[in-house]
Amino acid sequence: MGAEDFTPGLNFIRNIIENDIKAKKNDGRVHTRFPPEPNGYLHIGHAKSICLNFGLAAEYKGLCNLRFDDTNPGKEDVEYVDSIMADVRWLGFDWGDRLYYASDYFEKLYEYALHLIRTGKAYVCALSADQIREYRGTLTEPGQDSPCRERPVTESLDFFQRMRAGEFPDGSYVLRAKIDMASPNLNMRDPVLYRIRRESHHRTGDRWLIYPMYDYTHPISDALEGITHSLCTLEFEDHRPFYDWVLDNLPVPCHPQQIEFARLNLNYTVMSKRKLLELVDKALVRGWDDPRLPTIAGLRRRGYTPESIRAFAESVGVAKRESMVDMALLEHCLRQDLNKRARRVMAVLRPLKVVISNYPEHQVEELEAENNPEDPGAGTRKLPFAREIYIEQDDFREDPPKKFFRLSPGKEIRLKHAYYIRCDEVVKDAKGRVIELRCTYDPESRGGWTKDGRKVLGTSHWVSATHAVDVEVRLYDKLLSVPDPANEKEEKDFKEYLNPNSLEILKGCKVEPGLSEAKPGQYFQFLRQGYFCIDPDSTASIPVFNRSVTLRDSWAKIEKSQQDK
Ligand code: ATP
Ligand code: MG
């Protein structure tokens, strides 16, 4: 590609596509596909691929197929098929009527294999898997020909048909492409096309005893679907010559172009389905949708929105070089999105009771509170205020350090949307732990402002003790305690780096009464605590909230919104 063909601002894949359109390649069509193997749940790396494939198709008024690359019976399952479809839809993409399965092509793939045998491009080989590896050679040494390489075409045809018919045991024979055992590219040294496997397939049942390899299946599936640009991750770069070889040697309808891009890596987590499966199988997490996992299902449960994940995929872009993306970027994208749409509410995670001794017993006031300062259309709500409230334990110190801008004996703070209170007395239990504060309020400070404009140390959130709803709150931290286990000096199993504090469960949290109505799919900002959503473990008596992400600078923000008034 010459420099004149490079349009700045476009990623390299868009560049290729635009040049293809200009050159009228594929009649100017753009047709991509997302080809997951249904052997696990999708993760954020797949989301990048989904956004890229469906996004490019939409951008160039083309099409994107969903295709299950299901050539590996045993590891695959309908549970995964269903979850993948749900996740792609949830991310906001639609494959229309173009849902395909590689297994639907088994018969065609078989016929194409016969074609390769007939044209002398494939042969049935009796070497074992270990022998094939030995014969393959190394990066510096050429391989050796299999003793079966010159098997006559008629014999290979006969053997291949009998492999299908079930005449031979598993592993006894394979079908191999006949390319070049001396190729500098190991993938071209007569790769295996078919193996015998007596395993039930989640779609074809026991109909097949031979299964095609991924590298053989993929280019043909792409061609049968009229794919124009076949995007995959970098590890397939060395497989591209074989991708092209398959298409060049078969009478397929078209020859899609394979384009590789760097896979997404995120720090402090794991992103291979094998590792994720291990965590799930060994119950080291609570399932594929554990909010600590980078699976789409986990992120959704955690409170991530499809919009935030799409924005993240866009912001990481596509490149030809592997890199590690900071988890903070993903969190940033979620904050950006939730800041606009999450209703602000008050929730006290670690409650400390406050009795306002000069507030009339049995009196309840309804105070007005804004729902979202970022969105005036979100309106206001009424908050009950009464003599007994809860504040956050952290918002009080008996012996405050110098820069402690919250409540302590004799000091005054503002209760958000309510009144100024001053701490008069500290009540302790037998062990000397603070269990209650006695405060007085300034009746002239309703709404949180005084006429004399006197300054307070800070603003606390609170809830009325009699009106609060008891909830459980789950706080999450990084799944791994190191950013990149592969880069640690000591090479340990990734599981040894699991962060033991990745989940903290708080019971007996107190939230404002309206939250008893909270529903899945609603997003909340608990003032100063972060963004939260309802977890499916919620019951009618005890709602459970997940913290989706913390608020950076929460304190500064509240102070600022107060000053701005
Ligand atoms: P894993 O390595 O996590 O097990 P995989 O590549 O085996 O994933 P597939 O189901 O084959 O999983 O992936 C479907 C599509 O998603 C492929 O096109 C693959 O290249 C892409 N993909 C998988 N992981 C990533 C990633 N981390 N970043 C970008 N794309 C990815
Ligand atoms: Mg794969």
Side-chain angles (χ1 to χ4, degrees):
M1 178 165 60
E4 67 280 8
D5 295 330
F6 187 81
T7 313
L10 290 181
N11 67 48
F12 78 97
I13 299 178
R14 286 190 179 115
N15 259 294
I16 294 174
I17 293 178
E18 300 222 336
N19 290 331
D20 286 350
I21 292 173
K22 263 188 250 155
K24 302 236 161 45
K25 191 176 164 187
N26 308 306
D27 305 320
R29 278 186 316 120
V30 174
H31 199 152
T32 56
R33 84 288 171 264
F34 173 63
E37 183 182 354
N39 61 350
Y41 279 59
L42 297 180
H43 53 60
I44 183 82
H46 294 113
K48 172 175 168 172
S49 176
I50 293 167
C51 292
L52 188 61
N53 279 296
F54 281 94
L56 287 169
E59 197 175 327
Y60 294 103
K61 303 206 167 30
L63 299 170
C64 180
N65 298 354
L66 175 62
R67 182 202 314 143
F68 288 100
D69 243 321
D70 54 350
T71 53
N72 236 332
K75 286 190 180 167
E76 297 167 359
D77 198 276
V78 277
E79 178 196 349
Y80 301 135
V81 169
D82 293 343
S83 76
I84 289 170
M85 289 199 279
D87 287 349
V88 175
R89 276 205 198 95
W90 179 77
L91 278 173
F93 299 106
D94 183 6
W95 54 88
D97 56 0
R98 294 174 316 284
L99 171 64
Y100 300 106
Y101 293 84
S103 55
D104 288 346
Y105 308 137
F106 280 172
E107 195 61 51
K108 280 193 178 126
L109 290 160
Y110 178 78
E111 280 162 26
Y112 281 133
L114 292 175
H115 181 94
L116 287 177
I117 301 172
R118 279 192 205 106
T119 52
K121 303 270 168 53
Y123 60 97
V124 170
C125 182
L127 293 183
S128 68
D130 285 342
Q131 287 170 320
I132 289 181
R133 215 169 298 124
E134 278 164 37
Y135 276 67
R136 187 179 293 133
T138 64
L139 285 172
T140 49
E141 286 164 53
Q144 293 169 51
D145 284 359
S146 157
C148 308
R149 201 166 197 264
E150 298 310 324
R151 193 190 289 284
V153 167
T154 48
E155 207 177 294
S156 277
L157 276 177
D158 177 51
F159 271 62
F160 188 51
Q161 279 154 356
R162 287 162 64 194
M163 281 165 64
R164 177 179 182 171
E167 289 187 28
F168 308 120
D170 285 15
S172 53
Y173 291 101
V174 291
L175 182 72
R176 296 175 72 176
K178 191 170 177 178
I179 310 179
D180 179 5
M181 287 308 290
S183 169
N185 184 338
L186 295 178
N187 296 305
M188 297 299 269
R189 295 185 185 170
D190 293 9
V192 172
L193 305 178
Y194 268 89
R195 68 256 198 249
I196 307 174
R197 291 263 295 269
R198 280 170 175 77
E199 247 177 315
S200 277
H201 185 280
H202 64 102
R203 280 178 67 81
T204 58
D206 297 321
R207 245 181 299 148
W208 289 89
L209 303 172
I210 53 172
Y211 289 97
M213 301 299 288
Y214 175 85
D215 275 355
Y216 168 71
T217 308
H218 202 78
I220 297 174
S221 307
D222 281 346
L224 291 174
E225 292 173 20
I227 300 303
T228 56
H229 301 84
S230 177
L231 313 182
C232 62
T233 39
L234 278 185
E235 68 272 20
F236 288 102
E237 198 163 18
D238 289 345
H239 299 233
R240 188 179 351 124
F242 182 63
Y243 182 97
D244 289 330
W245 182 92
V246 170
L247 299 178
D248 286 340
N249 287 285
L250 285 173
V252 286
C254 63
H255 190 137
Q257 181 184 1
Q258 174 177 309
I259 302 168
E260 308 86 18
F261 64 95
R263 63 173 45 230
L264 170 74
N265 301 302
L266 260 188
N267 59 13
Y268 294 104
T269 191
V270 289
M271 280 248 271
S272 96
K273 279 187 276 192
R274 183 183 59 75
K275 290 179 183 167
L276 292 168
L277 178 65
E278 201 181 334
L279 294 177
V280 173
D281 275 353
K282 298 201 164 129
L284 294 166
V285 293
R286 297 175 159 199
W288 283 102
D289 67 347
D290 188 301
R292 289 168 291 184
L293 294 183
T295 52
I296 309 289
L299 293 168
R300 176 168 58 232
R301 185 164 180 179
R302 173 87 167 248
Y304 272 81
T305 60
E307 290 82 358
S308 64
I309 295 177
R310 293 202 301 262
F312 172 74
E314 184 62 35
S315 68
V316 295
V318 285
K320 267 284 188 194
R321 217 167 36 118
E322 290 281 344
S323 64
M324 181 69 89
V325 174
D326 199 324
M327 190 62 98
L329 181 61
L330 181 61
E331 296 196 336
H332 169 79
C333 291
L334 181 60
R335 276 190 204 101
Q336 292 279 99
D337 185 29
L338 293 185
N339 182 42
K340 285 175 278 165
R341 62 161 104 191
R343 245 179 63 196
R344 273 57 170 171
V345 294
M346 295 210 272
V348 176
L349 303 191
R350 296 172 181 89
L352 173 60
K353 192 179 230 180
V354 172
V355 178
I356 301 166
S357 34
N358 63 337
Y359 194 85
E361 253 176 277
H362 310 304
Q363 177 175 307
V364 177
E365 274 176 276
E366 298 266 300
L367 300 172
E368 181 125 341
E370 62 190 346
N371 287 329
N372 187 351
E374 302 289 323
D375 173 12
T380 60
R381 67 189 182 287
K382 298 280 188 209
L383 280 177
F385 184 81
R387 181 181 159 91
E388 296 195 355
I389 61 168
Y390 291 110
I391 64 167
E392 211 66 63
Q393 287 170 16
D394 272 357
D395 281 346
F396 173 79
R397 271 311 165 78
E398 196 173 12
D399 296 306
K402 253 203 185 123
K403 295 215 162 153
F404 187 75
F405 298 122
R406 299 171 220 173
L407 197 59
S408 54
K411 293 289 191 295
E412 195 172 42
I413 57 161
R414 170 193 296 118
L415 294 175
K416 178 85 174 167
H417 303 307
Y419 290 101
Y420 280 24
I421 56 165
R422 181 186 308 278
C423 176
D424 305 320
E425 196 187 330
V426 180
V427 182
K428 296 181 182 174
D429 66 7
K431 288 188 178 143
R433 285 176 303 209
V434 177
I435 51 167
E436 189 181 303
L437 303 178
R438 297 287 162 89
C439 296
T440 41
Y441 85 118
D442 173 1
E444 298 292 302
S445 63
R446 190 181 153 114
W449 304 99
T450 56
K451 292 200 183 76
D452 62 12
R454 77 180 180 275
K455 290 228 154 54
V456 281
L457 288 172
T459 302
S460 284
H461 59 276
W462 55 275
V463 290
S464 157
T466 34
H467 302 88
V469 176
D470 265 39
V471 303
E472 177 179 319
V473 165
R474 299 178 182 170
L475 306 178
Y476 300 99
D477 198 355
K478 301 174 172 80
L479 182 64
L480 300 184
S481 49
V482 296
D484 181 9
N487 255 344
E488 289 298 305
K489 272 200 206 100
E490 260 182 282
E491 215 175 293
K492 292 196 244 172
D493 183 278
F494 80 96
K495 296 191 293 304
E496 300 203 28
Y497 294 107
L498 283 175
N499 172 10
N501 305 315
S502 57
L503 169 63
E504 185 181 3
I505 297 180
L506 302 176
K507 296 192 192 252
C509 307
K510 306 283 182 181
V511 301
E512 56 174 80
L515 282 179
S516 59
E517 314 274 291
K519 292 193 180 56
Q522 294 179 329
Y523 304 97
F524 301 96
Q525 185 192 103
F526 289 5
L527 286 184
R528 297 166 68 211
Q529 304 287 6
Y531 293 99
F532 290 75
C533 69
I534 277 279
D535 187 85
D537 282 349
S538 291
T539 61
S541 51
I542 300 285
V544 177
F545 285 90
N546 290 320
R547 176 152 70 190
S548 315
V549 65
T550 54
L551 295 174
R552 215 185 352 214
D553 259 1
S554 55
W555 186 256
K557 229 181 194 160
I558 289 180
E559 285 298 289
K560 189 169 178 304
S561 76
Q562 297 283 13
Q563 286 157 12
D564 289 348
K565 271 189 186 161

